[in-house]
Every structure is written in structure tokens, then in C-alpha cells.
Amino acid sequence: MQFESIWKEYEKPLLNFIKTKVNDDNIGEDIVQEVGIKLHTAIHKNESINNYKSWLFQVTRNTIADYYRKNKIPTTIIKDQPEVTETSISNACVCDLSGFVIQNYLPKQYAEALYLSDIEQKPQKEIAKILDLSLTATKSRIQRGRKKLKELVTDCIEISYNTKGQITGFLLKNDCELPPELITEMGKINLIV
């Protein structure tokens, strides 16, 4: 697929998404241009991108997080947010934090499969090849990894959902003490709890 056709399809939705996270239209334009450059570079280097939409939104979230980090602008976890859609995700790039939690707090056999699936967005057949597993075993590890991650998260975080099952807010439970390395990682993305 050529850069122009991909960018034509996704530039406007990405800019709308960015504008929900950054209050300055000029900065939003800068961020979307930076994402466009990253896409152009990835295509030019023949990087394997299986799902352009997922890849672009992931890169956009990371670029927004980089902007907040670089400018030392704090972001927060907001309790009782309005309905969450692809274009209204929390200011903090929790994708970085999710990857950190998966890699550091789940058993390795589940962490590898889940990280490749949910963070790197690789197809399950490709994950099976990478991990030298059958497709059935790969699917099983991903599902068990998700279950273990959910258990881990719900031990410390109270999550609220809307009627569609989408996350609408989250709050750290008072009786939960976070490990120091997790607090450090949260600080890297300016996430305040």
C-alpha cells in the first residue's frame, strides 16, 4: 500500500483523535505531521505493518505521550470519564504502562504471547511461529495472559464500565500498594494516581 492512500484515509481521524488530547491546534498539527513522517519512514524501510489503523493509532498515542513527557506536562487518570471510544482515550499513553506490566508482572510464557498480540499487534499465526508453538497453544496463552493481567489489574484498580462494556473510568484502590518500579514507570509517562 502506498503512503498517500494510507495517509489520505487516516490523517483526518488521527488529527481529530489528537485534538481530544492536546488543547492547541498548532501542536495537534505538528503531532499529526510527526506521525505521518513515522508512517512514511516505516513504509520506506519496508517494515511489516499488518493493520495500518491499529499501528497508526498506537504510534499516535506514543507520540502524544512523548509530547507530554518532553514538555513535562502532567497527565492524570480520570475517574468517571465520559464514554470511551477510539477517539477519546485517556491523555496518558497507558499502552507503555500496559507493556511494562505485561513484561514484568506476568509469567514469561503468558507475557511473551500477550505482549506480541496486544502491544505489538502481531497476528496469532505469526506469534505461533515466533514462539515455536501450535496456533491452539498460542491462542490459549494469549487468553490466559489476558485473564492473568485482568486479575492483576483488578486487584489494585477499580474499573468502571458503561453499558457497552467499555471502560469509562478507573481509580487506584486505597488498600493497594504499588511496587516502586511500577511507580517509576508511571512517572516516565507522567501518569499521576
Side-chain angles (χ1 to χ4, degrees), residues 113-127:
L114 185 60
Y115 188 87
L116 291 169
S117 171
D118 291 5
I119 303 299
E120 292 191 5
Q121 301 284 311
K122 292 191 182 294
Q124 291 180 349
K125 285 183 181 179
E126 186 178 335
I127 296 168

Side-chain angles (χ1 to χ4, degrees), residues 1 3 5-11 13-14 17-18 31-32 34-40 42-43 49 51-64 86 121:
M1 210 172 211
F3 169 80
S5 60
I6 299 166
W7 195 239
K8 184 178 179 182
E9 182 177 352
Y10 293 110
E11 180 181 17
L14 290 171
F17 172 74
I18 293 166
I31 291 172
V32 82
E34 191 174 334
V35 171
I37 291 168
K38 290 176 182 178
L39 173 64
H40 188 272
I43 291 172
I49 301 172
N51 182 329
Y52 283 100
K53 182 178 182 179
S54 295
W55 187 89
L56 282 165
F57 275 92
Q58 182 69 41
V59 169
T60 301
R61 286 188 289 269
N62 291 343
T63 306
I64 292 167
E86 186 169 52
Q121 301 284 311

Side-chain angles (χ1 to χ4, degrees), residues 138-152:
T138 301
K139 289 179 179 183
S140 176
R141 285 192 184 183
I142 292 168
Q143 289 305 315
R144 287 181 185 154
R146 286 179 182 150
K147 184 178 179 187
K148 288 188 175 295
L149 180 62
K150 184 177 181 180
E151 290 168 0
L152 187 75

Side-chain angles (χ1 to χ4, degrees), residues 176-190:
C176 184
E177 201 168 308
L178 295 175
E181 65 273 10
L182 184 55
I183 294 170
T184 301
E185 191 67 21
M186 291 167 71
K188 288 180 185 175
I189 63 169
N190 293 323

Side-chain angles (χ1 to χ4, degrees), residues 70-100:
K70 180 179 163 189
N71 293 289
K72 298 189 185 328
I73 300 169
T75 58
T76 58
I77 293 179
I78 301 169
K79 183 182 176 190
D80 300 324
Q81 290 175 274
E83 182 176 315
V84 174
T85 64
E86 186 169 52
T87 58
S88 65
I89 300 170
S90 171
N91 278 344
C93 183
V94 295
C95 49
D96 292 343
L97 190 59
S98 298
F100 177 83

